[in-house]
């Protein structure tokens, strides 16, 4: 069993002047807090934090990390609070331990790969100190090493979580050694048979492998020395999971895997790395497509190395990795290699101009005195463009920065998006355009009657939401266009006394539509509504013009009857379902005055007053004219603006307003001003029930002493 002294010794080996008193206090504190607790293995619980601290010390991490390792479970598993930790050990350590407890509360449950990806990113996005992740990985590593003591169900769950979340995170941070160990242990639990057969197959070949390794290594050493290249060569069987994956991907049997052996050459300089590569290719034939230069182009996780696969004399392929000792440190420990105790001395890894990522971090580090700021920069570098939010059921979803509840709604289902009425973020109602933040819990409120709005397009950021909203708006417009076009066509047919049956018939119709370039009758209707094609064009194909009867102009059917006038808002028309009708803004007709309907392109029927100057211009296309009539409730009020000129006499305004009150009209807006020459102007906005009402009011106003002129204003 591990002892505290082991950790102490390890820490002193690389931090001779570290605060041992603080480390000891953390140990005693952890021992007190976990007193009496026992692990599933039967060991005292304390062994776990000790082992975790030891792993962190082996990575040569700073004292804060090692102490956080000792204390990592105290908030989660004992009665200790963050405040107590802060009082005893300071802000930094308390912050790390709190971050760890936060992470452990996220339960990964889904089997979807995309979910795993989101969980990984979420975890990284949630912590503001990358050391939280380093301690968490050490914690998980020790738990995996002791997984045998748990129940089979727990083993499955933890192994899967490790494979899908923690190993990729270790990989993302460049910590190759921990990643490989996590993967291999997980594999042993996730596919025990596959694991066992792989182990035994490799065991069977062990003798051959060992001989092969010795032989190749000897050749390599000799040849490289001849070239004056100093080097350190190791040969090994690749880690199990990487071989396992290869078998799976290529669908082959273990007997067919040849390049399960890999050699690693460490050589002092980058120049030597390339020289060694040349030498190797002069001895063995390289396998095409397998040469990779990660020195010139490092992986995103900072990994650098040259890779090649070559064919031995006996036809056995093997892989060779070539790198400098510094690159090796990064390959094994990744970000941890740069988070080592380094008081008073600078890390030398920035020397190679090709290590861009690292160089940048080094630069930041020089600019930023506070290591916490440095870590924030590292974090920002990881995933700057994304934001993660939860469903109330705990599913994580990833979005581009700036995403809103509407984006969230559409990511669930397009129906949820279409009927999205509002959103609760972390239990609070927010406007639909509120940007989401990491860790937000988003609940979407829907109403089946609610519809997408054009306005949404101005703030959604996901292409899914954008295209679904567009699609909906287009379909909506299209269906009203089809309705409108259909009624137009039927009306025209009636005018020429042609039976509408010709539209529901035989091959002749399809033929006619095809020749006009329409895939279906609906497409044709829509085109008619948009004014792209005339009714005659189709009818001409179906009925010879000689058979056409004289049109009857007199009997235009009244098609549109509706309670027009809900202050200009579009309203639906009875008898012509789903056609939108609205009062034209240019003239604002009111009940009782003669009106004209005009079929617009794709926006329904606009209703103008016959006196409107636009009517003549709009109706150059007689096919688009449609008869409309006032219908519906008399309760509806229309807004009318009156422009009154008067003598600027005290009391005119008072008499005007009282006359209007007498006529039971409401004034919704009024402005009055005086011009030179004592002329006054009053502009009133009134609620009017119909034309009679308006005429009565105008007549009374004209009778008021001092009033010169009363005019109705358009627009
Ligand atoms: Mn733990």
């Amino acid at each position: 069993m591990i002892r505290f002294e082991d950790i102490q010794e390890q820490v002193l080996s690389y931090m001779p002047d570290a605060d041992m008193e603080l480390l000891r206090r953390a140990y005693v504190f952890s021992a007190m807090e976990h007193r009496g607790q026992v692990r599933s293995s039967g060991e005292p619980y304390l062994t776990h934090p000790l082992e975790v601290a030891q792993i962190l010390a082996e990575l040569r991490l700073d004292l804060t990390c090692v102490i956080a390792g000792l204390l990592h479970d105290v908030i989660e598993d004992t009665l200790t609070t963050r405040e107590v930790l802060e009082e005893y050990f300071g802000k930094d350590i308390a912050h790390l331990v709190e971050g760890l407890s936060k992470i452990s509360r996220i339960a990964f449950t889904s089997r979807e790969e995309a979910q795993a990806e989101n969980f990984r990113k979420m975890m990284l996005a949630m912590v503001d100190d990358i050391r939280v992740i380093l301690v968490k990985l050490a914690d998980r590593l020790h738990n995996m090493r002791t997984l045998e003591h748990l129940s089979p169900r727990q083993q499955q769950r933890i192994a899967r979580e490790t494979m899908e979340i923690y190993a990729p995170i270790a990989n993302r941070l460049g910590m190759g050694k921990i990643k490989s160990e996590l993967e291999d242990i997980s594999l042993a639990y996730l596919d025990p048979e596959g694991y066992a057969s792989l182990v035994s197959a490799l065991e069977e070949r062990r003798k051959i492998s060992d001989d092969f390794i010795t032989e190749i290594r000897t050749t390599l050493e000799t040849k490289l020395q001849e070239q004056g290249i100093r080097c350190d060569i190791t040969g090994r069987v690749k880690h199990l999971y990487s071989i396992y994956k290869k078998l799976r991907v290529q669908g082959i049997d273990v007997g067919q895997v040849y390049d399960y052996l890999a050699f690693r050459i460490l050589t002092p300089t980058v120049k030597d790395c390339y020289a060694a590569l040349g030498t190797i290719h002069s001895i063995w034939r390289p396998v095409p497509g397998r040469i990779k230069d990660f020195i010139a182009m490092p992986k995103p996780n900072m990994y650098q190395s040259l890779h090649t696969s070559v064919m031995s004399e006996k036809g056995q392929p093997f892989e060779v990795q070539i790198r400098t000792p510094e690159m090796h440190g990064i390959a094994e420990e990744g970000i941890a290699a740069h988070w080592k105790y380094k008081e008073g001395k600078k890390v030398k890894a920035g020397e190679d101009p090709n290590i861009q990522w690292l160089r940048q971090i080094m630069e930041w580090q020089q600019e930023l005195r506070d290591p916490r700021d440095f870590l924030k920069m590292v974090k920002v570098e990881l995933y700057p463009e994304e934001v993660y939010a939860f469903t109330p059921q705990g599913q994580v979803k990833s979005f581009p920065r700036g995403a809103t509840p509407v984006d969230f709604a559409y990511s669930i289902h397009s129906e949820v998006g279409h009927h999205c009425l509002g959103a609760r973020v972390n239990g609070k109602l927010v406007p639909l355009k509120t940007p989401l933040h990491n860790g937000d819990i988003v609940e979407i409120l829907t109403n089946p009657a609610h519809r997408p709005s054009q306005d949404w397009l101005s703030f959604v950021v996901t292409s899914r939401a954008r295209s679904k909203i567009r699609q909906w708006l287009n379909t909506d417009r299209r269906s009203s266009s089809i309705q409108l076009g259909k009624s137009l066509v039927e009306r025209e047919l009636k005018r020429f006394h042609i039976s509408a049956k010709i539209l529901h018939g035989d091959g002749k119709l399809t033929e006619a539509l095809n020749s006009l370039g329409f895939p279906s009758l609906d497409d044709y209707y829509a085109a008619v509504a948009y004014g792209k094609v005339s009714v005659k064009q189709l009818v001409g194909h179906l009925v010879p013009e000689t058979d056409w009867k004289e049109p009857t102009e007199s009997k235009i059917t009244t098609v549109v009857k509706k309670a027009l006038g809900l202050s200009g808002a579009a309203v639906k028309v009875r008898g012509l379902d789903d056609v939108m009708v609205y009062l034209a803004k240019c003239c604002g007709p009111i009940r009782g005055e003669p009106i004209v309907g005009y079929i617009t392109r794709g926006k329904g029927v606009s209703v103008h007053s016959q006196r409107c100057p636009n009517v003549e211009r709009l109706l150059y296309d007689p096919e688009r004219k449609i008869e409309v009539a006032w219908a519906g409730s008399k309760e509806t009020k229309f807004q009318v603006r009156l422009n009154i000129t008067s003598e600027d006499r005290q009391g005119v305004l008072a008499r005007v307003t009282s006359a209007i009150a007498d006529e039971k009209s409401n004034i919704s807006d009024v402005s009055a001003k005086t011009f030179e020459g004592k002329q006054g102007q009053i502009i009133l906005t009134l609620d009017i029930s119909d034309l009679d009402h308006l005429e009565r009011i105008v007549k009374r106003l004209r009778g008021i002493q001092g009033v010169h002129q009363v005019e109705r204003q358009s627009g």
Side-chain angles (χ1 to χ4, degrees):
M1 192 179 125
I2 188 169
R3 300 165 313 141
F4 171 67
E5 287 70 25
D6 300 330
I7 298 165
Q8 212 172 14
E9 205 173 293
Q10 176 69 26
V11 168
L12 282 173
S13 75
Y14 65 95
M15 281 192 286
D17 47 359
D19 186 349
M20 281 301 125
E21 185 42 40
L22 190 66
L23 186 67
R24 173 167 291 281
R25 276 212 333 256
Y27 163 66
V28 173
F29 188 92
S30 186
M32 292 294 285
E33 290 296 322
H34 292 298
R35 182 186 45 199
Q37 295 178 351
V38 177
R39 298 199 94 212
S40 307
S41 60
E43 287 179 300
Y45 194 88
L46 186 64
T47 52
H48 171 62
L50 281 173
E51 291 282 359
V52 171
Q54 176 68 7
I55 292 169
L56 294 162
E58 278 164 9
L59 284 167
R60 299 164 63 93
L61 292 169
D62 68 358
L63 193 65
T64 308
C65 269
V66 178
I67 290 180
L70 282 174
L71 299 173
H72 78 272
D73 276 331
V74 296
I75 291 188
E76 191 70 6
D77 293 342
T78 77
L79 297 173
T80 306
T81 62
R82 185 215 150 103
E83 287 68 32
V84 172
L85 279 186
E86 188 170 333
E87 194 189 321
Y88 283 35
F89 301 102
K91 247 193 171 118
D92 259 18
I93 289 170
H95 186 79
L96 284 192
V97 177
E98 195 189 31
L100 281 153
S101 333
K102 256 194 232 163
I103 286 187
S104 61
R105 269 179 239 132
I106 308 176
F108 171 69
T109 48
S110 172
R111 278 190 171 271
E112 289 168 59
E113 198 162 311
Q115 274 291 292
E117 170 77 6
N118 285 343
F119 263 88
R120 293 196 289 270
K121 291 179 169 183
M122 169 113 192
M123 208 166 271
L124 293 177
M126 261 180 65
V127 300
D128 53 6
D129 190 326
I130 205 80
R131 287 177 294 184
V132 171
I133 297 290
L134 300 181
V135 179
K136 184 68 200 174
L137 287 171
D139 175 34
R140 180 50 58 111
L141 183 59
H142 182 245
N143 284 335
M144 289 305 286
R145 284 175 180 170
T146 52
L147 197 58
E148 63 194 277
H149 303 293
L150 296 188
S151 73
R153 247 185 88 216
Q154 284 171 307
Q155 286 172 347
Q156 287 300 306
R157 182 182 65 76
I158 295 172
R160 193 165 59 81
E161 190 181 74
T162 301
M163 189 66 107
E164 291 176 1
I165 310 291
Y166 291 100
I169 284 179
N171 185 46
R172 180 68 182 80
L173 298 178
M175 306 168 76
K177 207 171 160 190
I178 288 186
K179 173 207 144 203
S180 302
E181 189 176 347
L182 289 176
E183 283 178 346
D184 285 356
I185 304 175
S186 301
L187 179 64
Y189 289 95
L190 293 176
D191 182 2
E193 281 174 28
Y195 180 85
S197 78
L198 189 56
V199 170
S200 74
L202 291 174
E203 190 55 38
E204 271 170 37
R205 290 147 184 261
R206 189 138 152 215
K207 178 78 179 73
I208 313 168
S209 304
D210 285 351
D211 291 350
F212 184 79
I213 288 171
T214 314
E215 185 192 321
I216 297 292
R217 201 174 57 201
T218 312
T219 313
L220 269 173
E221 261 162 5
T222 320
K223 295 280 183 177
L224 290 172
Q225 262 160 23
E226 276 172 26
Q227 301 294 317
I229 301 167
R230 276 183 299 144
C231 59
D232 179 6
I233 301 168
T234 49
R236 73 207 154 94
V237 173
K238 287 183 187 175
H239 91 269
L240 284 168
Y241 185 62
S242 72
I243 304 172
Y244 179 88
K245 257 199 313 198
K246 188 165 227 162
L247 296 177
R248 279 294 155 100
V249 170
Q250 299 178 356
I252 50 176
D253 176 77
V254 66
Q256 296 168 276
V257 180
Y258 297 110
D259 57 349
Y260 62 94
L261 296 175
F263 291 84
R264 184 174 297 137
I265 301 175
L266 299 187
T267 183
T269 67
V270 172
K271 213 177 105 219
D272 289 335
C273 291
Y274 288 103
L277 183 71
T279 306
I280 292 164
H281 287 168
S282 74
I283 314 171
W284 299 289
R285 191 164 48 82
V287 177
R290 295 290 300 272
I291 306 167
K292 303 223 172 78
D293 186 351
F294 295 118
I295 290 182
M297 281 180 289
K299 289 187 185 179
N301 66 10
M302 312 184 277
Y303 177 89
Q304 285 194 300
S305 198
L306 296 175
H307 287 192
T308 186
S309 284
V310 294
M311 200 64 88
S312 77
E313 293 87 346
K314 290 169 191 152
Q316 160 90 308
F318 59 93
E319 190 183 293
V320 187
Q321 302 173 348
I322 311 161
R323 57 207 187 208
T324 67
E326 287 80 15
M327 292 173 192
H328 184 60
I330 295 167
E332 298 268 279
E333 296 175 358
I335 200 162
H338 299 283
W339 191 244
K340 290 193 187 313
Y341 172 74
K342 46 183 175 274
E343 211 170 65
K345 51 184 172 177
K346 274 188 185 144
V347 181
K348 282 165 77 187
E351 282 165 359
D352 189 317
N354 291 314
I355 311 181
Q356 293 297 344
W357 199 88
L358 218 48
R359 235 163 52 106
Q360 188 155 29
I361 287 184
M362 294 303 141
E363 279 163 22
W364 288 337
Q365 203 176 14
Q366 281 161 14
E367 284 165 25
L368 306 164
R369 282 280 166 74
D370 184 351
R372 294 281 298 278
D373 286 343
F374 159 67
L375 288 161
K376 273 177 198 152
M377 297 301 270
V378 176
K379 180 200 148 214
V380 166
E381 177 66 11
L382 288 173
Y383 300 106
E385 274 127 25
E386 286 158 73
V387 63
Y388 304 90
F390 286 109
T391 65
Q393 291 75 36
Q395 209 190 9
V396 187
K397 292 180 167 286
S398 125
F399 300 95
R401 280 279 145 120
T404 63
V406 176
D407 292 293
F408 192 95
Y410 276 102
S411 80
I412 297 170
H413 195 279
S414 53
E415 286 302 308
V416 177
H418 289 336
H419 303 308
C420 162
L421 179 71
R424 246 186 229 123
V425 171
N426 305 323
K428 243 178 72 187
L429 275 171
V430 299
L432 282 177
K433 61 177 173 188
T434 312
L436 299 178
H437 296 103
N438 269 323
D440 278 351
I441 299 169
V442 183
E443 186 188 345
I444 299 296
L445 310 172
T446 60
N447 180 329
H450 204 73
R451 300 281 177 266
S453 130
Q454 180 87 28
D455 188 41
W456 292 1
L457 290 172
S458 68
F459 58 74
V460 295
V461 301
T462 54
S463 49
R464 180 183 163 84
R466 185 170 299 279
S467 73
K468 292 285 175 195
I469 294 167
R470 283 229 175 89
Q471 205 182 337
W472 192 91
L473 292 173
N474 287 340
T475 320
D476 187 45
R477 260 179 224 139
R478 182 175 150 86
S479 74
S480 64
S481 300
I482 291 172
Q483 285 290 329
L484 210 55
K486 184 163 184 267
S487 73
L488 269 177
V489 171
E490 283 168 358
R491 213 180 46 153
E492 279 297 287
L493 292 177
K494 227 176 209 170
R495 230 155 60 84
F496 290 99
H497 307 286
I498 297 166
S499 161
K501 278 183 191 155
I502 62 160
L503 295 178
H504 309 289
D506 40 13
K508 220 173 160 193
L509 176 68
T510 319
E511 205 178 287
L513 286 170
N514 284 345
S515 74
L516 290 171
F518 295 106
S520 75
L521 193 56
D522 278 354
D523 291 300
Y524 172 72
Y525 286 150
V528 169
Y530 277 90
K532 286 177 186 155
V533 64
S534 80
V535 178
K536 282 182 188 166
Q537 270 175 283
L538 180 69
V539 179
H541 273 83
L542 298 173
V543 183
E545 206 149 342
T546 44
D547 291 1
W548 290 31
K549 302 234 171 68
E550 272 302 299
T552 37
E553 293 289 1
S554 55
K555 281 192 182 173
I556 296 176
T557 336
T558 299
V559 187
V560 179
K561 274 193 179 173
K562 183 57 200 169
L564 285 165
L566 295 172
S567 23
V571 286
K572 288 191 175 176
V573 180
R574 200 175 301 162
L576 191 60
D577 290 340
D578 290 337
V579 172
M580 310 290 265
V581 175
Y582 63 96
L583 296 177
K585 285 212 175 84
C586 51
C587 50
I590 61 172
R591 187 188 306 285
E593 76 183 308
I595 41 174
V596 171
Y598 176 73
I599 294 153
T600 65
R601 304 189 172 196
K603 272 164 54 192
V605 173
S606 70
V607 175
H608 294 262
S609 161
Q610 207 137 50
R611 66 183 166 82
C612 177
N614 285 333
V615 165
E616 212 172 323
R617 195 155 48 79
L618 288 173
L619 298 185
Y620 68 95
D621 184 358
E623 272 182 5
R624 307 178 74 76
K625 187 176 165 180
I626 192 161
E627 194 164 300
V628 288
W630 294 107
S633 157
K634 285 226 169 195
E635 300 300 300
T636 321
K637 300 284 184 208
F638 301 85
Q639 291 217 317
V640 171
R641 270 211 296 185
L642 293 180
N643 187 352
I644 302 168
T645 45
S646 65
E647 269 174 47
D648 181 29
R649 265 173 62 170
Q650 287 261 310
V652 171
L653 185 59
R655 282 199 290 277
V656 164
T657 50
S658 87
I660 288 165
D662 281 352
E663 291 296 340
K664 305 219 166 8
S665 172
N666 184 42
I667 301 174
S668 55
D669 191 50
V670 60
S671 74
K673 53 188 166 187
T674 310
F675 296 102
E676 270 176 70
K678 302 242 168 185
Q679 277 268 34
Q681 185 190 34
I682 303 167
I683 295 174
L684 294 167
T685 307
L686 303 178
D687 292 342
I688 301 291
S689 358
D690 57 19
L691 192 61
D692 284 352
H693 189 201
L694 180 66
E695 282 169 352
R696 272 200 318 274
I697 291 175
V698 171
K699 200 173 163 195
R700 264 195 80 161
L701 293 178
R702 283 183 178 147
I704 292 173
Q705 202 186 6
V707 169
H708 296 317
Q709 214 182 344
V710 180
E711 270 178 348
R712 179 172 170 194
Q713 268 195 340
S714 290

